[in-house]
Amino acid sequence: MLKRYTSELTIILFTVGLVMISGLIRIVSYGFGSTLYYVVFSCFLAYRLIRMIHNRRKPWASYQKYRLVLFLIMLVTLVMNIAGWQDADFFLLFLLMADFLLLIN
């Protein structure tokens, strides 16, 4: 059976597209748009966690340590946003951009 591989770059670009859609929905319905925004980032972080577990035995490239740090910061920021302790939606986008730059470099 043929295995299909989706690159991390594709996942990041797909996440950005969904974040843009959730932003447009947020203009019309703030509650639903905010929920969709957090669901999109939760799915992205779940995918990253699954990929890290899947590749745990492989040797790490030099940028993987930085991506792990970004993952942990994204996770903490997302939990704090959902809990209502901070309102830093743009910071999550900034971290996603930094992850994208680490990946393409």
Side-chain angles (χ1 to χ4, degrees), residues 8-32:
E8 299 246 356
L9 182 63
T10 306
I11 296 298
I12 289 176
L13 293 176
F14 187 68
T15 302
V16 168
L18 289 176
V19 165
M20 289 172 46
I21 291 171
S22 71
L24 293 174
I25 292 173
R26 200 175 197 177
I27 292 171
V28 177
S29 174
Y30 183 80
F32 183 69

Side-chain angles (χ1 to χ4, degrees), residues 67-82:
R67 290 191 76 207
L68 176 65
V69 170
L70 279 174
F71 170 78
L72 294 174
I73 294 171
M74 272 187 193
L75 187 64
V76 169
T77 303
L78 185 68
V79 168
M80 289 175 63
N81 278 347
I82 291 173

